[in-house]
Amino acid sequence: MKTILIAGGAGFIGTNLCRRFLNEGNKIICVDNFHTSKKRNIGKISSENFKLIEHDIINPFDIDEDIDEIYNLASPASPLNYQSNPLQTIKTNIHGVFNLLDLAVKHDAKFLQSSTSEVYGEPLQHPQKESYWGNVNPNGIRSSYDESKRCAESICLNYYREYDVNIKICRIFNTYGPYMDPYDGRVVTNFIIQALKGEDLTIYGEGAQTRSFCHVDDLLDGLIKLMDTENEFTGPINLGNPIEFTISDLANKIIEKTDSKSKIIYLPLPQDDPSQRKPDISLAREKLNWQPKITLDEGLNNTISYYNDLINSI
Ligand code: NAD
Ligand code: UDP
């Protein structure tokens, strides 16, 4: 049995990870301030191995018991959320990461940082490999997230170099599935909720921009395998599904799957919205023997069914 601290453990990926580790018999310390999540995500967890600490990681904190591993998932992730709270986002990804790394030093714990495909910005290389340094607008409306996540990678690697912390950095590409906040503005949940309610699906721009969507269960396999790599392997490593779809493809698929009467409407494309995104996962295949197994069709079926139940219960 390991003791695992999950910062941001009440969010979308965090809730899925807490549940997975609890099912496998581990002890979880979930640290979250509910900035972008609702208590209902973890509210149904009843296990003596689960402890919630309601805390904002931008403020230092300590834990009495021994910790084996720290997963840092705490950060707004949806453009709507980080653009409404840009300075809090920057503090979370800078001060928060320092505080969690200090905890890792104190407990001699392994540390996994959830970085993002956003470090590639508007990519001039396609698909994106980890060796690509990216093309990021340093002061645009996405920069609070992109630049603070880039800085967080630097902070982590400097803790590895100066304090020998066992660091693992994963660059997560668009992930979807149960427990994402239905109203946090991300595309898969927006389209599913709109289709289920018979509302217009809102495509931003012409819908020709692409994303590669990974189901959260596949992502969790990758995160756990990454944490188990040898000390010398820090990443960064891409984790995502390499099959690329346009946003129009996604809208049409969701309308079809929900058998919805919804129409599609076109709204302005937000500033700096990346036109394409697709991970090169050669490194994950080689180092982790990992690749996604769940197709978008399978993953959407499971996700639509979750949100259908959720909107009828809240
Ligand atoms: P989410 O918004 O659902 O979850 C984030 C959680 O962190 C929430 O519970 C929130 O309340 C908590 N949090 C935020 N700021 C905090 C703070 N200062 N102190 C304590 N808790 C705080 O987002 P998610 O999709 O689950 O993303 C989790 C992580 O994965 C994020 O770091 C995100 O950048 C990264 N990521 C996610 C995706 C994706 O597609 N889901 C893609 C790339 C990277
Ligand atoms: N998008 C859209 N309609 C929506 C929400 C998002 O067309 O209702 C587009 C958005 O402009 C982007 C893509 O879908 O091109 C993915 O958006 P999301 O916010 O999920 O994640 P991002 O990859 O931009 O961080």
Side-chain angles (χ1 to χ4, degrees):
M1 181 199 260
K2 287 189 281 202
T3 302
I4 303 169
L5 185 147
I6 305 182
F12 157 50
I13 298 173
T15 301
N16 284 285
L17 196 58
C18 288
R19 288 175 172 268
R20 166 96 170 242
F21 280 137
L22 287 168
N23 283 340
E24 292 171 359
N26 298 292
K27 198 166 168 194
I28 296 297
I29 303 171
C30 168
V31 180
D32 205 299
N33 65 349
F34 299 99
H35 176 48
T36 60
S37 57
K38 301 277 185 307
K39 288 196 173 157
R40 65 169 175 258
N41 266 4
I42 52 160
K44 290 199 181 118
I45 297 179
S46 62
S47 163
E48 57 184 22
N49 288 331
F50 181 78
K51 179 160 144 192
L52 169 68
I53 299 179
E54 201 165 332
H55 180 77
D56 185 330
I57 61 160
I58 72 174
N59 302 312
F61 65 109
D62 205 355
I63 302 285
D64 292 336
E65 53 207 298
D66 290 341
I67 305 168
D68 300 302
E69 297 177 350
I70 298 175
Y71 283 79
N72 179 22
L73 302 168
S75 165
S78 129
L80 182 71
N81 282 335
Y82 64 73
Q83 286 168 29
S84 13
N85 293 285
L87 296 173
Q88 170 72 15
T89 301
I90 293 171
K91 285 182 189 166
T92 297
N93 287 323
I94 309 270
H95 299 305
V97 169
F98 268 104
N99 289 331
L100 291 172
L101 283 162
D102 286 339
L103 208 59
V105 172
K106 188 169 170 202
H107 288 263
D108 195 19
K110 294 205 247 178
F111 186 93
L112 185 145
Q113 168 65 9
S114 58
S115 189
T116 164
S117 54
E118 286 286 318
V119 300
Y120 301 120
E122 171 62 28
L124 303 177
Q125 277 186 17
H126 197 69
Q128 293 78 54
K129 273 189 194 316
E130 292 83 353
S131 53
Y132 177 47
W133 289 355
N135 178 35
V136 173
N137 176 347
N139 49 37
I141 56 169
R142 292 176 90 96
S143 65
S144 62
Y145 183 68
D146 300 7
E147 290 293 17
S148 62
K149 285 285 190 178
R150 284 166 69 93
C151 185
E153 287 195 8
S154 169
I155 298 167
C156 289
L157 283 165
N158 284 306
Y159 266 74
Y160 169 73
R161 294 178 188 120
E162 285 192 32
Y163 300 110
D164 210 18
V165 178
N166 193 339
I167 293 291
K168 313 288 174 195
I169 299 171
C170 60
R171 291 182 178 157
I172 303 173
F173 284 64
N174 297 67
T175 300
Y176 69 97
Y179 298 111
M180 187 181 283
D181 185 306
Y183 300 107
D184 84 2
R186 284 184 271 184
V187 69
V188 175
T189 39
N190 266 14
F191 286 177
I192 291 177
I193 302 296
Q194 290 162 343
L196 289 174
K197 291 187 166 174
E199 295 167 357
D200 294 338
L201 269 68
T202 52
I203 288 187
Y204 304 157
E206 292 171 4
Q209 70 270 39
T210 67
R211 294 294 187 272
S212 307
F213 299 102
C214 184
H215 190 271
V216 66
D217 290 347
D218 278 332
L219 177 77
L220 297 192
D221 292 340
L223 295 177
I224 293 166
K225 283 183 167 209
L226 174 60
M227 191 61 117
D228 287 344
T229 52
E230 72 272 13
N231 291 5
E232 293 67 35
F233 185 74
T234 57
I237 188 165
N238 289 338
L239 291 180
N241 192 316
I243 302 177
E244 192 180 10
F245 291 88
T246 66
I247 295 304
S248 289
D249 293 335
L250 178 73
N252 289 322
K253 245 182 205 304
I254 291 176
I255 288 178
E256 194 190 309
K257 283 183 177 297
T258 49
D259 202 15
S260 173
K261 302 264 178 303
S262 295
K263 305 261 176 307
I264 292 176
I265 55 163
Y266 294 87
L267 300 178
L269 187 69
Q271 187 197 331
D272 294 336
D273 197 287
S275 56
Q276 53 182 1
R277 198 84 81 41
K278 166 180 161 125
D280 180 320
I281 59 162
S282 318
L283 184 62
R285 283 199 175 100
E286 180 205 317
K287 279 305 296 183
L288 311 180
N289 190 23
W290 175 87
Q291 63 181 18
K293 298 190 187 108
I294 303 169
T295 64
L296 185 58
D297 279 306
E298 291 162 350
L300 284 178
N301 291 343
N302 142 289
T303 308
I304 289 168
S305 145
Y306 168 83
Y307 285 105
N308 198 16
D309 294 346
L310 185 73
I311 59 172
N312 290 320
S313 70
I314 56 174

